[in-house]
Structure formats: structure tokens, C-alpha cells
Amino acid sequence: MISFVSELWKFLRVRKKFWLLPIFVMLVLLGGLIVLTQGSAVAPFIYTIF
């Protein structure tokens, strides 16, 4: 996992694609939110957002 992150950072730095960084961060946060709330009492409230 660490090698993936380091290669992604190198790609963003070399190609000057820093605008992709917020997109990746939001995808990781939303994915983590979905995984953590799966099967909990908070899940119906999360699903109404989307």
C-alpha cells in the first residue's frame, strides 16, 4: 500500500497533476465512510446524502 501511495505521489509530481490530489482524498474518505458505516444504525442517514 505504501508503494502505491509513493508511486501515485511521484506521478502527480512529475506530471504536474496536483489537481487530482483532492479527488483521490475525497474518494478515499467516502470509501472509508461507507466501509465503516456498513451495518450500523447510521447507514440510513448516510444513504440519504447520496
Side-chain angles (χ1 to χ4, degrees), residues 29-45:
L29 288 176
L30 286 175
L33 181 66
I34 290 172
V35 167
L36 290 176
T37 60
Q38 189 173 7
S40 71
V42 183
F45 299 109

Side-chain angles (χ1 to χ4, degrees), residues 14-15 18 20-21 24 29-30 37-38 41 43-47:
V14 169
R15 304 276 187 197
F18 294 114
L20 287 173
L21 194 59
F24 286 130
L29 288 176
L30 286 175
T37 60
Q38 189 173 7
F45 299 109
I46 298 298
Y47 294 134

